[in-house]
Amino acid sequence: FATMMVGNMLTFGHVAVSFLIAEEGETASHLPNPLFYVLLVASFMTGVSLYRILECRRGWSGKHFAPFVVAWIVVHDMLEGSPYEFLMKHWTVLRLAPVFGMQDAMTVRNGFGSLPWCTTNNVVTMAFASTDLIMGRFSMPIEEWRKLVTSCIMFAAMILGTVGGAAYNALAPDELHEMEMAVIAPWFGLLFLLNDWVFPPATDVSSRLSEGLLLTG
């Protein structure tokens, strides 16, 4: 995964053992090199570090990163379809990991306060709160209601995105398959812009409040 590092760390453990005990021919033909997962996590962390450096040194926020990440994704897809691509197919994901590192740094540290997809924590929240409702405990604190609604929205959005991506792969013409990441690039940039509008940088809060544009709820 270019986005979810937990899966990569778990897979690394499995692959590292398999790499050591498998026969050389089998390893070369069926198993990815453990170094791939090390570099993937490092690439993701590089994106987080880049976000932090530009935020601190240049005052960058979501609106500054938006065109940058859109261009990055489009260039990635162009390289994917290029006859001069020198990387093996699965290694090209190393180019995308920094983008998702920047995205996660923004939403976790300077915005939503959570990863921008439905995690196991959201599923637990949905099951926990819905069980309370079934048992007749309707007097949940407002914060718990907010967590439940947020988790439901994240769950629905993730399922919608998964179905949409699968439909695109199944129905889009073959010539568009090489540009599958570029299709989501504008929406990805919009996420960065919306983050600045809903969760503006601290320096913009006072002006946004005076303009009546800040969502304080």
Short mmCIF file of all heavy atoms in Angstrom, two decimals, residues 66-125:
data_model
loop_
_atom_site.label_atom_id
_atom_site.label_comp_id
_atom_site.label_asym_id
_atom_site.label_seq_id
_atom_site.Cartn_x
_atom_site.Cartn_y
_atom_site.Cartn_z
N ALA A 66 -1.84 21.64 -2.81
CA ALA A 66 -2.83 21.10 -3.75
C ALA A 66 -2.29 20.98 -5.19
O ALA A 66 -2.31 19.89 -5.77
CB ALA A 66 -4.11 21.92 -3.70
N PRO A 67 -1.82 22.07 -5.80
CA PRO A 67 -1.32 21.93 -7.19
C PRO A 67 -0.09 21.04 -7.27
O PRO A 67 0.11 20.35 -8.27
CB PRO A 67 -1.01 23.37 -7.60
CG PRO A 67 -0.83 24.11 -6.32
CD PRO A 67 -1.74 23.47 -5.33
N PHE A 68 0.70 21.05 -6.21
CA PHE A 68 1.93 20.25 -6.18
C PHE A 68 1.61 18.76 -6.25
O PHE A 68 2.19 18.01 -7.05
CB PHE A 68 2.69 20.59 -4.90
CG PHE A 68 3.97 19.82 -4.70
CD1 PHE A 68 5.05 20.00 -5.57
CD2 PHE A 68 4.10 18.93 -3.66
CE1 PHE A 68 6.23 19.31 -5.38
CE2 PHE A 68 5.27 18.23 -3.47
CZ PHE A 68 6.35 18.42 -4.33
N VAL A 69 0.65 18.30 -5.43
CA VAL A 69 0.34 16.87 -5.39
C VAL A 69 -0.43 16.43 -6.65
O VAL A 69 -0.25 15.30 -7.13
CB VAL A 69 -0.45 16.49 -4.12
CG1 VAL A 69 0.36 16.79 -2.88
CG2 VAL A 69 -1.79 17.20 -4.06
N VAL A 70 -1.28 17.32 -7.19
CA VAL A 70 -1.98 16.98 -8.43
C VAL A 70 -0.97 16.77 -9.56
O VAL A 70 -1.05 15.78 -10.31
CB VAL A 70 -2.99 18.08 -8.81
CG1 VAL A 70 -3.52 17.86 -10.21
CG2 VAL A 70 -4.14 18.12 -7.81
N ALA A 71 -0.01 17.68 -9.68
CA ALA A 71 1.02 17.54 -10.72
C ALA A 71 1.85 16.29 -10.50
O ALA A 71 2.20 15.58 -11.46
CB ALA A 71 1.92 18.78 -10.72
N TRP A 72 2.16 15.99 -9.24
CA TRP A 72 2.96 14.81 -8.91
C TRP A 72 2.26 13.54 -9.37
O TRP A 72 2.88 12.65 -9.98
CB TRP A 72 3.19 14.77 -7.40
CG TRP A 72 4.21 13.79 -6.90
CD1 TRP A 72 4.47 12.54 -7.38
CD2 TRP A 72 5.11 13.99 -5.81
NE1 TRP A 72 5.47 11.94 -6.65
CE2 TRP A 72 5.88 12.81 -5.68
CE3 TRP A 72 5.33 15.03 -4.91
CZ2 TRP A 72 6.86 12.66 -4.69
CZ3 TRP A 72 6.29 14.86 -3.93
CH2 TRP A 72 7.05 13.71 -3.83
N ILE A 73 0.97 13.44 -9.10
CA ILE A 73 0.21 12.23 -9.47
C ILE A 73 0.11 12.11 -10.99
O ILE A 73 0.25 11.00 -11.55
CB ILE A 73 -1.19 12.26 -8.84
CG1 ILE A 73 -1.07 12.12 -7.31
CG2 ILE A 73 -2.07 11.16 -9.40
CD1 ILE A 73 -2.38 12.29 -6.57
N VAL A 74 -0.14 13.22 -11.68
CA VAL A 74 -0.25 13.18 -13.14
C VAL A 74 1.08 12.75 -13.76
O VAL A 74 1.12 11.92 -14.68
CB VAL A 74 -0.69 14.54 -13.69
CG1 VAL A 74 -0.61 14.56 -15.21
CG2 VAL A 74 -2.12 14.85 -13.23
N VAL A 75 2.18 13.30 -13.26
CA VAL A 75 3.50 12.91 -13.77
C VAL A 75 3.76 11.43 -13.51
O VAL A 75 4.32 10.72 -14.35
CB VAL A 75 4.60 13.79 -13.13
CG1 VAL A 75 5.99 13.22 -13.45
CG2 VAL A 75 4.49 15.22 -13.62
N HIS A 76 3.34 10.95 -12.34
CA HIS A 76 3.50 9.52 -12.04
C HIS A 76 2.80 8.66 -13.08
O HIS A 76 3.37 7.68 -13.59
CB HIS A 76 2.92 9.21 -10.66
CG HIS A 76 2.73 7.74 -10.39
ND1 HIS A 76 3.76 6.92 -10.00
CD2 HIS A 76 1.62 6.96 -10.49
CE1 HIS A 76 3.31 5.67 -9.87
NE2 HIS A 76 2.01 5.68 -10.15
N ASP A 77 1.56 9.01 -13.43
CA ASP A 77 0.83 8.23 -14.41
C ASP A 77 1.46 8.33 -15.80
O ASP A 77 1.46 7.35 -16.56
CB ASP A 77 -0.63 8.69 -14.48
CG ASP A 77 -1.52 7.87 -13.57
OD1 ASP A 77 -0.99 7.01 -12.83
OD2 ASP A 77 -2.75 8.07 -13.58
N MET A 78 1.99 9.49 -16.12
CA MET A 78 2.66 9.64 -17.41
C MET A 78 3.89 8.75 -17.48
O MET A 78 4.17 8.13 -18.52
CB MET A 78 3.04 11.11 -17.64
CG MET A 78 1.83 12.03 -17.81
SD MET A 78 2.31 13.78 -17.92
CE MET A 78 3.26 13.77 -19.44
N LEU A 79 4.61 8.65 -16.39
CA LEU A 79 5.79 7.77 -16.35
C LEU A 79 5.37 6.31 -16.39
O LEU A 79 6.06 5.48 -17.00
CB LEU A 79 6.60 8.05 -15.09
CG LEU A 79 7.32 9.41 -15.03
CD1 LEU A 79 7.97 9.62 -13.67
CD2 LEU A 79 8.38 9.49 -16.14
N GLU A 80 4.24 5.99 -15.77
CA GLU A 80 3.74 4.61 -15.80
C GLU A 80 3.48 4.15 -17.23
O GLU A 80 3.74 3.00 -17.57
CB GLU A 80 2.44 4.51 -15.00
CG GLU A 80 2.64 4.50 -13.51
CD GLU A 80 2.88 3.10 -12.96
OE1 GLU A 80 1.92 2.36 -12.75
OE2 GLU A 80 4.06 2.77 -12.77
N GLY A 81 2.95 5.05 -18.06
CA GLY A 81 2.63 4.69 -19.43
C GLY A 81 3.76 4.91 -20.41
O GLY A 81 3.61 4.65 -21.60
N SER A 82 4.89 5.39 -19.91
CA SER A 82 6.01 5.68 -20.79
C SER A 82 6.77 4.41 -21.17
O SER A 82 6.98 3.53 -20.32
CB SER A 82 6.97 6.66 -20.11
OG SER A 82 8.18 6.78 -20.83
N PRO A 83 7.20 4.29 -22.41
CA PRO A 83 8.02 3.13 -22.79
C PRO A 83 9.41 3.18 -22.18
O PRO A 83 10.15 2.20 -22.25
CB PRO A 83 8.08 3.24 -24.33
CG PRO A 83 7.87 4.69 -24.61
CD PRO A 83 6.93 5.19 -23.54
N TYR A 84 9.77 4.31 -21.57
CA TYR A 84 11.09 4.46 -20.97
C TYR A 84 11.07 4.23 -19.47
O TYR A 84 12.02 4.58 -18.77
CB TYR A 84 11.66 5.85 -21.28
CG TYR A 84 11.71 6.15 -22.75
CD1 TYR A 84 10.80 7.03 -23.33
CD2 TYR A 84 12.66 5.55 -23.57
CE1 TYR A 84 10.83 7.30 -24.69
CE2 TYR A 84 12.70 5.81 -24.93
CZ TYR A 84 11.78 6.69 -25.49
OH TYR A 84 11.82 6.95 -26.83
N GLU A 85 9.97 3.67 -18.95
CA GLU A 85 9.88 3.35 -17.53
C GLU A 85 10.86 2.22 -17.19
O GLU A 85 10.80 1.14 -17.77
CB GLU A 85 8.46 2.93 -17.18
CG GLU A 85 8.27 2.48 -15.73
CD GLU A 85 8.55 3.58 -14.75
OE1 GLU A 85 7.68 4.44 -14.55
OE2 GLU A 85 9.67 3.60 -14.19
N PHE A 86 11.79 2.51 -16.26
CA PHE A 86 12.84 1.55 -15.95
C PHE A 86 12.55 0.75 -14.68
O PHE A 86 13.23 -0.24 -14.41
CB PHE A 86 14.18 2.26 -15.80
CG PHE A 86 14.65 2.94 -17.06
CD1 PHE A 86 14.62 4.32 -17.17
CD2 PHE A 86 15.09 2.20 -18.14
CE1 PHE A 86 15.04 4.94 -18.34
CE2 PHE A 86 15.51 2.82 -19.31
CZ PHE A 86 15.49 4.19 -19.40
N LEU A 87 11.58 1.16 -13.89
CA LEU A 87 11.28 0.46 -12.65
C LEU A 87 10.30 -0.68 -12.89
O LEU A 87 9.42 -0.59 -13.75
CB LEU A 87 10.67 1.43 -11.62
CG LEU A 87 11.59 2.53 -11.09
CD1 LEU A 87 10.80 3.45 -10.17
CD2 LEU A 87 12.79 1.96 -10.36
N MET A 88 10.46 -1.76 -12.13
CA MET A 88 9.47 -2.83 -12.16
C MET A 88 8.15 -2.28 -11.64
O MET A 88 8.12 -1.36 -10.83
CB MET A 88 9.94 -4.01 -11.31
CG MET A 88 11.17 -4.72 -11.85
SD MET A 88 11.73 -6.02 -10.72
CE MET A 88 10.28 -7.08 -10.69
N LYS A 89 7.04 -2.86 -12.10
CA LYS A 89 5.72 -2.30 -11.87
C LYS A 89 5.46 -1.97 -10.41
O LYS A 89 5.04 -0.87 -10.07
CB LYS A 89 4.65 -3.28 -12.39
CG LYS A 89 3.27 -2.67 -12.52
CD LYS A 89 3.23 -1.64 -13.62
CE LYS A 89 1.82 -1.14 -13.85
NZ LYS A 89 1.77 -0.10 -14.89
N HIS A 90 5.71 -2.94 -9.49
CA HIS A 90 5.35 -2.67 -8.09
C HIS A 90 6.30 -1.68 -7.43
O HIS A 90 5.94 -1.05 -6.43
CB HIS A 90 5.27 -3.98 -7.29
CG HIS A 90 6.59 -4.66 -7.07
ND1 HIS A 90 7.12 -5.56 -7.96
CD2 HIS A 90 7.48 -4.57 -6.04
CE1 HIS A 90 8.26 -6.01 -7.51
NE2 HIS A 90 8.52 -5.43 -6.35
N TRP A 91 7.50 -1.48 -7.98
CA TRP A 91 8.42 -0.52 -7.39
C TRP A 91 8.02 0.92 -7.68
O TRP A 91 8.46 1.84 -6.99
CB TRP A 91 9.84 -0.77 -7.90
CG TRP A 91 10.49 -1.98 -7.30
CD1 TRP A 91 10.38 -3.26 -7.72
CD2 TRP A 91 11.33 -2.02 -6.13
NE1 TRP A 91 11.10 -4.12 -6.90
CE2 TRP A 91 11.70 -3.37 -5.92
CE3 TRP A 91 11.82 -1.05 -5.25
CZ2 TRP A 91 12.52 -3.77 -4.88
CZ3 TRP A 91 12.64 -1.45 -4.21
CH2 TRP A 91 12.99 -2.79 -4.03
N THR A 92 7.19 1.14 -8.69
CA THR A 92 6.79 2.51 -9.02
C THR A 92 5.94 3.14 -7.93
O THR A 92 5.79 4.36 -7.89
CB THR A 92 6.01 2.54 -10.35
OG1 THR A 92 4.82 1.75 -10.23
CG2 THR A 92 6.86 2.00 -11.50
N VAL A 93 5.39 2.32 -7.02
CA VAL A 93 4.58 2.86 -5.94
C VAL A 93 5.41 3.73 -5.02
O VAL A 93 4.88 4.57 -4.29
CB VAL A 93 3.90 1.71 -5.16
CG1 VAL A 93 4.91 0.98 -4.29
CG2 VAL A 93 2.75 2.23 -4.32
N LEU A 94 6.74 3.56 -5.05
CA LEU A 94 7.61 4.39 -4.22
C LEU A 94 7.48 5.86 -4.58
O LEU A 94 7.72 6.73 -3.74
CB LEU A 94 9.07 3.94 -4.37
CG LEU A 94 9.41 2.52 -3.89
CD1 LEU A 94 10.87 2.21 -4.17
CD2 LEU A 94 9.10 2.36 -2.41
N ARG A 95 7.09 6.15 -5.83
CA ARG A 95 6.91 7.54 -6.23
C ARG A 95 5.66 8.15 -5.61
O ARG A 95 5.59 9.37 -5.43
CB ARG A 95 6.80 7.64 -7.77
CG ARG A 95 8.09 7.50 -8.53
CD ARG A 95 7.91 8.02 -9.94
NE ARG A 95 6.90 7.28 -10.66
CZ ARG A 95 7.14 6.36 -11.58
NH1 ARG A 95 8.39 6.04 -11.87
NH2 ARG A 95 6.17 5.74 -12.21
N LEU A 96 4.67 7.33 -5.33
CA LEU A 96 3.40 7.85 -4.81
C LEU A 96 3.39 7.99 -3.30
O LEU A 96 2.66 8.82 -2.76
CB LEU A 96 2.25 6.92 -5.23
CG LEU A 96 1.71 7.07 -6.65
CD1 LEU A 96 0.62 6.05 -6.90
CD2 LEU A 96 1.18 8.48 -6.88
N ALA A 97 4.16 7.17 -2.61
CA ALA A 97 4.11 7.16 -1.15
C ALA A 97 4.34 8.54 -0.52
O ALA A 97 3.64 8.89 0.45
CB ALA A 97 5.12 6.14 -0.60
N PRO A 98 5.28 9.37 -1.01
CA PRO A 98 5.45 10.69 -0.38
C PRO A 98 4.20 11.55 -0.45
O PRO A 98 3.92 12.33 0.47
CB PRO A 98 6.61 11.31 -1.19
CG PRO A 98 7.36 10.16 -1.75
CD PRO A 98 6.31 9.12 -2.04
N VAL A 99 3.43 11.44 -1.56
CA VAL A 99 2.20 12.22 -1.70
C VAL A 99 1.22 11.86 -0.59
O VAL A 99 0.62 12.74 0.05
CB VAL A 99 1.56 11.99 -3.08
CG1 VAL A 99 0.20 12.66 -3.15
CG2 VAL A 99 2.46 12.51 -4.17
N PHE A 100 1.05 10.57 -0.35
CA PHE A 100 0.11 10.13 0.69
C PHE A 100 0.66 10.42 2.08
O PHE A 100 -0.10 10.60 3.03
CB PHE A 100 -0.21 8.66 0.51
CG PHE A 100 -0.97 8.37 -0.75
CD1 PHE A 100 -0.38 7.72 -1.81
CD2 PHE A 100 -2.29 8.79 -0.88
CE1 PHE A 100 -1.08 7.47 -2.98
CE2 PHE A 100 -3.00 8.55 -2.04
CZ PHE A 100 -2.40 7.90 -3.10
N GLY A 101 1.99 10.48 2.20
CA GLY A 101 2.57 10.91 3.48
C GLY A 101 2.20 12.34 3.79
O GLY A 101 1.85 12.68 4.93
N MET A 102 2.26 13.21 2.78
CA MET A 102 1.87 14.61 2.96
C MET A 102 0.38 14.72 3.28
O MET A 102 -0.02 15.51 4.13
CB MET A 102 2.22 15.41 1.70
CG MET A 102 3.70 15.65 1.52
SD MET A 102 4.10 16.75 0.14
CE MET A 102 3.88 15.62 -1.24
N GLN A 103 -0.42 13.94 2.59
CA GLN A 103 -1.87 13.96 2.84
C GLN A 103 -2.18 13.56 4.27
O GLN A 103 -2.96 14.24 4.97
CB GLN A 103 -2.56 12.99 1.89
CG GLN A 103 -4.03 12.75 2.24
CD GLN A 103 -4.55 11.45 1.66
OE1 GLN A 103 -5.16 11.46 0.61
NE2 GLN A 103 -4.31 10.33 2.32
N ASP A 104 -1.58 12.48 4.74
CA ASP A 104 -1.87 12.01 6.10
C ASP A 104 -1.35 12.98 7.15
O ASP A 104 -1.99 13.19 8.19
CB ASP A 104 -1.27 10.62 6.31
CG ASP A 104 -1.97 9.55 5.48
OD1 ASP A 104 -2.96 9.89 4.82
OD2 ASP A 104 -1.51 8.39 5.50
N ALA A 105 -0.19 13.58 6.89
CA ALA A 105 0.34 14.57 7.83
C ALA A 105 -0.61 15.74 7.97
O ALA A 105 -0.84 16.26 9.07
CB ALA A 105 1.71 15.05 7.35
N MET A 106 -1.19 16.16 6.85
CA MET A 106 -2.11 17.30 6.86
C MET A 106 -3.39 16.98 7.62
O MET A 106 -3.83 17.74 8.48
CB MET A 106 -2.45 17.71 5.43
CG MET A 106 -3.46 18.85 5.33
SD MET A 106 -3.99 19.16 3.63
CE MET A 106 -4.94 17.66 3.30
N THR A 107 -4.01 15.83 7.31
CA THR A 107 -5.31 15.52 7.92
C THR A 107 -5.19 15.14 9.39
O THR A 107 -6.08 15.43 10.19
CB THR A 107 -6.00 14.39 7.16
OG1 THR A 107 -5.17 13.23 7.14
CG2 THR A 107 -6.32 14.81 5.74
N VAL A 108 -4.08 14.49 9.75
CA VAL A 108 -3.92 14.05 11.14
C VAL A 108 -3.46 15.20 12.04
O VAL A 108 -3.99 15.38 13.14
CB VAL A 108 -2.92 12.87 11.23
CG1 VAL A 108 -2.58 12.55 12.69
CG2 VAL A 108 -3.50 11.64 10.55
N ARG A 109 -2.51 15.99 11.57
CA ARG A 109 -1.90 17.01 12.42
C ARG A 109 -2.54 18.39 12.28
O ARG A 109 -2.54 19.17 13.22
CB ARG A 109 -0.41 17.13 12.08
CG ARG A 109 0.36 15.84 12.20
CD ARG A 109 0.51 15.36 13.62
NE ARG A 109 1.30 16.29 14.41
CZ ARG A 109 1.70 16.06 15.66
NH1 ARG A 109 1.37 14.92 16.25
NH2 ARG A 109 2.41 16.94 16.31
N ASN A 110 -3.06 18.70 11.11
CA ASN A 110 -3.58 20.05 10.87
C ASN A 110 -4.94 20.04 10.22
O ASN A 110 -5.20 20.78 9.28
CB ASN A 110 -2.59 20.84 9.98
CG ASN A 110 -1.27 21.06 10.64
OD1 ASN A 110 -1.20 21.55 11.76
ND2 ASN A 110 -0.19 20.68 9.97
N GLY A 111 -5.81 19.20 10.70
CA GLY A 111 -7.12 19.16 10.09
C GLY A 111 -8.06 18.22 10.80
O GLY A 111 -8.38 18.40 11.98
N PHE A 112 -8.48 17.20 10.10
CA PHE A 112 -9.52 16.30 10.57
C PHE A 112 -9.17 15.60 11.88
O PHE A 112 -10.03 15.20 12.64
CB PHE A 112 -9.79 15.28 9.47
CG PHE A 112 -11.06 14.49 9.66
CD1 PHE A 112 -12.27 15.14 9.81
CD2 PHE A 112 -11.03 13.11 9.69
CE1 PHE A 112 -13.44 14.42 9.98
CE2 PHE A 112 -12.20 12.37 9.86
CZ PHE A 112 -13.40 13.04 10.00
N GLY A 113 -7.88 15.44 12.15
CA GLY A 113 -7.46 14.75 13.36
C GLY A 113 -7.52 13.25 13.23
O GLY A 113 -7.46 12.52 14.23
N SER A 114 -7.64 12.76 12.00
CA SER A 114 -7.75 11.33 11.75
C SER A 114 -7.24 11.04 10.36
O SER A 114 -7.15 11.94 9.52
CB SER A 114 -9.20 10.87 11.88
OG SER A 114 -9.37 9.54 11.45
N LEU A 115 -6.88 9.79 10.12
CA LEU A 115 -6.52 9.39 8.77
C LEU A 115 -7.73 9.55 7.86
O LEU A 115 -8.86 9.31 8.29
CB LEU A 115 -6.02 7.94 8.76
CG LEU A 115 -4.70 7.70 9.49
CD1 LEU A 115 -4.44 6.20 9.62
CD2 LEU A 115 -3.55 8.38 8.77
N PRO A 116 -7.51 9.93 6.59
CA PRO A 116 -8.64 10.24 5.71
C PRO A 116 -9.27 9.03 5.05
O PRO A 116 -9.59 9.04 3.86
CB PRO A 116 -7.99 11.17 4.67
CG PRO A 116 -6.59 10.66 4.58
CD PRO A 116 -6.22 10.23 5.97
N TRP A 117 -9.45 7.97 5.80
CA TRP A 117 -10.20 6.81 5.31
C TRP A 117 -10.75 6.06 6.51
O TRP A 117 -10.40 6.36 7.65
CB TRP A 117 -9.34 5.89 4.44
CG TRP A 117 -8.14 5.33 5.11
CD1 TRP A 117 -8.09 4.28 5.99
CD2 TRP A 117 -6.79 5.79 4.99
NE1 TRP A 117 -6.81 4.06 6.43
CE2 TRP A 117 -5.99 4.97 5.81
CE3 TRP A 117 -6.18 6.81 4.25
CZ2 TRP A 117 -4.62 5.15 5.93
CZ3 TRP A 117 -4.81 6.98 4.38
CH2 TRP A 117 -4.06 6.16 5.20
N CYS A 118 -11.61 5.11 6.26
CA CYS A 118 -12.23 4.35 7.34
C CYS A 118 -11.24 3.33 7.90
O CYS A 118 -10.88 2.37 7.23
CB CYS A 118 -13.48 3.64 6.83
SG CYS A 118 -14.40 2.79 8.12
N THR A 119 -10.78 3.56 9.12
CA THR A 119 -9.84 2.66 9.77
C THR A 119 -10.59 1.67 10.66
O THR A 119 -11.81 1.76 10.84
CB THR A 119 -8.83 3.45 10.62
OG1 THR A 119 -9.55 4.08 11.70
CG2 THR A 119 -8.13 4.52 9.79
N THR A 120 -9.84 0.74 11.24
CA THR A 120 -10.44 -0.20 12.19
C THR A 120 -11.08 0.54 13.35
O THR A 120 -12.12 0.13 13.88
CB THR A 120 -9.38 -1.19 12.69
OG1 THR A 120 -8.78 -1.85 11.58
CG2 THR A 120 -9.99 -2.22 13.63
N ASN A 121 -10.47 1.67 13.75
CA ASN A 121 -11.02 2.46 14.85
C ASN A 121 -12.42 2.95 14.52
O ASN A 121 -13.32 2.95 15.38
CB ASN A 121 -10.10 3.64 15.13
CG ASN A 121 -10.61 4.52 16.26
OD1 ASN A 121 -10.75 4.07 17.39
ND2 ASN A 121 -10.91 5.76 15.93
N ASN A 122 -12.65 3.36 13.26
CA ASN A 122 -13.98 3.81 12.85
C ASN A 122 -14.99 2.67 12.89
O ASN A 122 -16.14 2.86 13.30
CB ASN A 122 -13.93 4.39 11.44
CG ASN A 122 -13.09 5.64 11.33
OD1 ASN A 122 -12.09 5.66 10.61
ND2 ASN A 122 -13.47 6.68 12.04
N VAL A 123 -14.56 1.47 12.47
CA VAL A 123 -15.46 0.32 12.49
C VAL A 123 -15.83 -0.03 13.93
O VAL A 123 -16.99 -0.34 14.24
CB VAL A 123 -14.80 -0.89 11.79
CG1 VAL A 123 -15.70 -2.12 11.88
CG2 VAL A 123 -14.52 -0.55 10.33
N VAL A 124 -14.84 0.01 14.84
CA VAL A 124 -15.12 -0.26 16.25
C VAL A 124 -16.09 0.77 16.80
O VAL A 124 -17.03 0.43 17.54
CB VAL A 124 -13.80 -0.26 17.06
CG1 VAL A 124 -14.08 -0.31 18.56
CG2 VAL A 124 -12.92 -1.44 16.67
N THR A 125 -15.89 2.04 16.46
CA THR A 125 -16.78 3.11 16.93
C THR A 125 -18.21 2.87 16.46
O THR A 125 -19.18 3.02 17.23
CB THR A 125 -16.29 4.48 16.42
OG1 THR A 125 -14.99 4.74 16.95
CG2 THR A 125 -17.24 5.59 16.83
#
